[in-house]
Amino acid sequence: MSTLVLGSPVAGWAGPLDEVPDAVFAQRMLGDGVAIDPVGSELVSPCDGVVVSVHR
């Protein structure tokens, strides 16, 4: 059996989409999810891999 270890890809706070000031996300027009407010400037892959693209 193999073990998969996932780490946090970014430091920050997570919260419900209802609290996002953008209506598209708050009303879930793009689907369900969570809001993440990053507190750092580094984004890493949570497992072996490569971050290919990140939206501004």
Side-chain angles (χ1 to χ4, degrees):
M1 176 181 353
S2 62
T3 302
L4 175 63
V5 177
L6 295 177
S8 176
V10 64
W13 299 96
L17 282 179
D18 304 38
E19 296 178 6
V20 175
D22 186 316
V24 172
F25 293 103
Q27 295 175 15
R28 291 179 168 76
M29 292 180 197
L30 296 174
D32 287 330
V34 296
I36 299 173
D37 186 9
V39 295
S41 60
E42 183 178 64
L43 173 68
V44 297
S45 177
C47 58
D48 288 344
V50 176
V51 177
V52 176
S53 176
V54 177
H55 189 282
R56 288 202 255 192

